[in-house]
Coordinates of all heavy atoms in Angstrom, one line a residue:
L1 N -38.8 74.8 0.2 CA -40.2 74.6 0.3 C -40.9 74.1 -1.0 O -42.1 73.9 -1.0 CB -40.9 75.9 0.8 CG -40.5 76.4 2.2 CD1 -41.2 77.7 2.5 CD2 -40.8 75.4 3.3
N2 N -40.1 74.0 -2.0 CA -40.6 73.6 -3.3 C -39.7 72.6 -3.9 O -39.3 72.7 -5.1 CB -40.7 74.8 -4.2 CG -41.8 75.8 -3.8 OD1 -43.0 75.6 -4.1 ND2 -41.4 76.8 -3.0
L3 N -39.2 71.6 -3.1 CA -38.3 70.6 -3.6 C -38.9 69.7 -4.7 O -40.2 69.5 -4.7 CB -37.9 69.7 -2.4 CG -37.1 70.4 -1.3 CD1 -36.8 69.4 -0.2 CD2 -35.7 70.9 -1.9
E4 N -38.1 69.2 -5.5 CA -38.6 68.3 -6.6 C -38.8 66.9 -6.0 O -38.0 66.4 -5.2 CB -37.6 68.2 -7.7 CG -37.4 69.6 -8.4 CD -36.3 69.5 -9.4 OE1 -35.7 68.4 -9.6 OE2 -36.0 70.6 -10.0
A5 N -39.8 66.2 -6.5 CA -40.0 64.8 -6.1 C -39.2 63.9 -7.0 O -39.0 64.2 -8.2 CB -41.4 64.4 -6.2
Y6 N -38.7 62.8 -6.5 CA -38.0 61.8 -7.4 C -39.1 61.2 -8.3 O -40.2 60.8 -7.8 CB -37.3 60.8 -6.5 CG -36.1 61.2 -5.8 CD1 -36.1 61.5 -4.5 CD2 -34.9 61.4 -6.5 CE1 -35.0 61.9 -3.8 CE2 -33.7 61.8 -5.9 CZ -33.8 62.1 -4.5 OH -32.7 62.5 -3.9
P7 N -38.8 61.0 -9.5 CA -39.8 60.4 -10.5 C -40.3 59.0 -10.0 O -41.4 58.7 -10.2 CB -39.0 60.3 -11.8 CG -38.0 61.4 -11.7 CD -37.6 61.5 -10.3
D8 N -39.3 58.2 -9.4 CA -39.8 56.9 -9.0 C -40.7 56.9 -7.8 O -41.6 56.1 -7.7 CB -38.5 56.0 -8.7 CG -37.7 56.6 -7.5 OD1 -37.9 57.7 -7.1 OD2 -36.7 55.9 -7.1
A9 N -40.6 58.0 -7.0 CA -41.5 58.2 -5.9 C -43.0 58.4 -6.4 O -43.9 57.8 -5.9 CB -41.1 59.3 -5.0
V10 N -43.1 59.3 -7.4 CA -44.4 59.6 -7.9 C -45.1 58.4 -8.5 O -46.2 58.1 -8.3 CB -44.3 60.8 -8.9 CG1 -45.6 61.0 -9.6 CG2 -43.7 62.0 -8.3
A11 N -44.3 57.7 -9.3 CA -44.9 56.5 -9.9 C -45.3 55.4 -8.9 O -46.4 54.8 -9.1 CB -43.8 55.9 -10.9
F12 N -44.5 55.2 -7.9 CA -44.9 54.2 -6.9 C -46.1 54.6 -6.1 O -46.9 53.8 -5.8 CB -43.7 53.9 -6.0 CG -43.9 52.7 -5.2 CD1 -44.1 51.4 -5.8 CD2 -43.9 52.8 -3.8 CE1 -44.3 50.3 -5.0 CE2 -44.1 51.7 -3.0 CZ -44.3 50.4 -3.6
L13 N -46.1 55.9 -5.7 CA -47.2 56.4 -4.9 C -48.5 56.3 -5.7 O -49.6 55.9 -5.2 CB -47.0 57.8 -4.5 CG -46.0 58.0 -3.3 CD1 -45.8 59.5 -3.1 CD2 -46.6 57.4 -2.0
Q14 N -48.4 56.5 -7.0 CA -49.6 56.4 -7.9 C -50.1 54.9 -7.9 O -51.3 54.7 -7.9 CB -49.3 56.9 -9.3 CG -50.5 56.9 -10.2 CD -51.6 57.8 -9.7 OE1 -51.4 59.0 -9.6 NE2 -52.8 57.3 -9.4
H15 N -49.2 54.0 -8.0 CA -49.5 52.6 -8.0 C -50.2 52.2 -6.7 O -51.3 51.5 -6.7 CB -48.3 51.7 -8.1 CG -48.5 50.3 -7.7 ND1 -49.2 49.4 -8.4 CD2 -48.1 49.7 -6.5 CE1 -49.3 48.3 -7.8 NE2 -48.6 48.4 -6.6
L16 N -49.7 52.7 -5.5 CA -50.3 52.4 -4.3 C -51.7 52.9 -4.2 O -52.7 52.3 -3.7 CB -49.5 52.9 -3.1 CG -48.1 52.3 -3.0 CD1 -47.3 53.0 -1.9 CD2 -48.2 50.8 -2.7
K17 N -51.9 54.1 -4.6 CA -53.2 54.8 -4.6 C -54.2 54.0 -5.5 O -55.4 53.8 -5.1 CB -53.1 56.2 -5.1 CG -54.5 57.0 -5.1 CD -54.2 58.4 -5.5 CE -55.6 59.2 -5.5 NZ -56.2 59.3 -4.2
D18 N -53.7 53.6 -6.7 CA -54.6 52.8 -7.6 C -55.0 51.5 -7.0 O -56.1 51.0 -7.4 CB -53.8 52.6 -8.9 CG -53.6 53.9 -9.7 OD1 -54.2 54.9 -9.4 OD2 -52.7 53.8 -10.6
N19 N -54.2 51.0 -6.1 CA -54.6 49.7 -5.5 C -55.1 49.9 -4.0 O -55.2 48.9 -3.3 CB -53.3 48.8 -5.5 CG -53.0 48.3 -6.8 OD1 -53.5 47.2 -7.2 ND2 -52.2 49.0 -7.6
D20 N -55.5 51.1 -3.7 CA -56.2 51.4 -2.4 C -55.3 50.9 -1.2 O -55.9 50.4 -0.2 CB -57.5 50.7 -2.4 CG -58.5 51.2 -3.4 OD1 -58.5 52.4 -3.7 OD2 -59.2 50.4 -4.0
I21 N -54.1 51.1 -1.3 CA -53.2 50.8 -0.2 C -52.9 52.1 0.6 O -52.4 53.1 0.0 CB -51.8 50.2 -0.7 CG1 -52.1 48.9 -1.4 CG2 -50.8 50.0 0.4 CD1 -51.0 48.3 -2.2
P22 N -53.2 52.1 1.9 CA -52.9 53.3 2.7 C -51.5 53.8 2.7 O -50.6 52.9 2.8 CB -53.4 52.9 4.1 CG -54.3 51.7 3.9 CD -53.7 51.0 2.7
T23 N -51.3 55.1 2.5 CA -49.9 55.6 2.4 C -49.8 56.8 3.3 O -50.8 57.5 3.7 CB -49.6 56.0 1.0 OG1 -50.5 57.0 0.5 CG2 -49.6 54.8 0.0
G24 N -48.6 57.2 3.6 CA -48.3 58.4 4.4 C -46.9 58.7 4.4 O -46.0 57.9 4.1
I25 N -46.6 59.9 4.8 CA -45.2 60.4 5.1 C -45.0 60.4 6.6 O -46.0 60.7 7.4 CB -45.0 61.8 4.6 CG1 -44.7 61.7 3.0 CG2 -43.9 62.5 5.3 CD1 -44.6 63.1 2.4
L26 N -43.9 59.9 7.1 CA -43.5 60.0 8.5 C -42.2 60.8 8.5 O -41.1 60.2 8.1 CB -43.3 58.6 9.1 CG -42.9 58.6 10.6 CD1 -44.0 59.3 11.4 CD2 -42.7 57.2 11.1
S27 N -42.2 62.0 8.9 CA -41.1 62.9 8.7 C -40.7 63.7 9.9 O -41.5 64.1 10.7 CB -41.4 63.9 7.5 OG -40.4 64.8 7.3
N28 N -39.4 64.0 10.0 CA -38.9 65.0 10.9 C -39.3 66.4 10.6 O -39.2 67.3 11.4 CB -37.3 64.9 11.0 CG -36.9 63.8 11.9 OD1 -37.6 63.2 12.6 ND2 -35.6 63.4 11.8
G29 N -39.7 66.6 9.4 CA -40.1 68.0 9.0 C -41.2 68.5 9.7 O -42.1 67.8 10.2
S30 N -41.3 69.8 9.9 CA -42.4 70.5 10.6 C -43.5 70.7 9.6 O -43.3 70.8 8.4 CB -41.9 71.8 11.2 OG -41.2 72.6 10.2
P31 N -44.7 70.8 10.1 CA -45.9 70.9 9.2 C -45.8 72.1 8.2 O -46.2 72.0 7.0 CB -47.1 71.1 10.1 CG -46.6 70.4 11.4 CD -45.2 70.7 11.5
D32 N -45.2 73.2 8.7 CA -45.2 74.4 7.8 C -44.2 74.3 6.7 O -44.2 75.2 5.8 CB -45.0 75.7 8.6 CG -43.7 75.6 9.5 OD1 -43.1 74.6 9.5 OD2 -43.4 76.7 10.1
M33 N -43.4 73.3 6.7 CA -42.5 73.1 5.6 C -42.9 71.9 4.8 O -42.8 71.8 3.6 CB -41.0 72.9 6.0 CG -40.7 71.8 6.9 SD -39.1 71.8 7.7 CE -38.0 71.6 6.2
L34 N -43.5 70.9 5.4 CA -44.0 69.7 4.7 C -45.2 70.0 3.8 O -45.2 69.5 2.7 CB -44.4 68.6 5.7 CG -43.3 67.8 6.3 CD1 -43.8 67.0 7.5 CD2 -42.6 66.9 5.3
E35 N -46.1 70.8 4.3 CA -47.3 71.1 3.5 C -47.0 71.7 2.1 O -47.5 71.2 1.1 CB -48.3 71.9 4.3 CG -49.6 72.2 3.6 CD -50.6 73.0 4.4 OE1 -50.3 73.3 5.6 OE2 -51.6 73.4 3.9
P36 N -46.3 72.8 2.1 CA -46.0 73.4 0.8 C -45.1 72.5 -0.1 O -45.2 72.4 -1.3 CB -45.3 74.7 1.1 CG -44.8 74.5 2.5 CD -45.7 73.6 3.2

């Protein structure tokens, strides 16, 4: 429930946010594990 993010993922998501590009996760995970 506390997995580490890949560094490249964080950098790229920040870029997308800075450029106002809509982003999201589409996952098989259940909400009670994805949220934390």
Side-chain angles (χ1 to χ4, degrees):
L1 297 177
N2 294 275
L3 295 174
E4 298 173 3
Y6 287 104
D8 59 354
V10 176
F12 189 63
L13 284 172
Q14 184 64 61
H15 162 75
L16 296 176
K17 183 177 178 63
D18 292 343
N19 286 273
D20 298 319
I21 297 167
T23 61
I25 281 176
L26 180 61
S27 175
N28 279 346
S30 51
D32 56 355
M33 62 190 296
L34 282 168
E35 182 178 355

